[in-house]
Amino acid sequence: MIIREANIEDIPQLRKIYLDSRRESFHWANADEMSLDDFDRDTSEEQILLAEEDGQVLGFASLYVPDRFIHNLFVHPSAAGKGAGKLLLQQSVEELGTPVTLKCVSDNHNALGFYKKQGWQPVVEEGEPGSRYWVMKFEK
C-alpha cells in the first residue's frame, strides 16, 4: 500500500469513497441529502493524500495546511481494517507537523476509538446538540 498526493484523475474515486463512507457510517445524517458533489465542496483548497493498493484507491485524507488541521479522513467501507486509515493519519501528521488537530463527530464512536488508539487526545467537545464533535490533538 502506498500513500501519495491525489491528482485530477483520482477525483471520481475519491468522490465515491466520500459518499459511500458517509452513507454507511454517518447514521445520524440523512443519506438522501448526500451527493458526489459534496467531496468537491468539502475539500476545496485542501491538500489531498490517498491510500492506494494495486491501483485501487482505498481512502483519503484532506489537509488544511495553514492550520495544521486534518479536515477529512475516509476509508471506503470495503477497505476497512486494512491499515489505510492508520497510514493516512501518519502521513498527514508528517506532512503537517505537530501539533496537529482534527474534529471527530461525537456520535462517531468507531472513529473516536480509532483516533485514541493512534495516540490522539480529545481536547474539548463543541457544537450544538445533535451536531457535537470532539476537537482532537496529536503531539509528538
Side-chain angles (χ1 to χ4, degrees), residues 88-98 100 140:
L88 284 164
L89 196 57
Q90 290 171 342
Q91 186 63 39
S92 296
V93 169
E94 191 169 308
E95 293 278 329
L96 294 170
T98 57
V100 61
K140 287 188 180 177

Side-chain angles (χ1 to χ4, degrees), residues 44-47 62-72 96:
S44 177
E45 299 188 33
E46 295 180 347
Q47 178 183 356
S62 70
L63 316 177
Y64 187 67
V65 176
D67 290 345
R68 287 191 178 147
F69 180 69
I70 301 172
H71 184 214
N72 293 289
L96 294 170

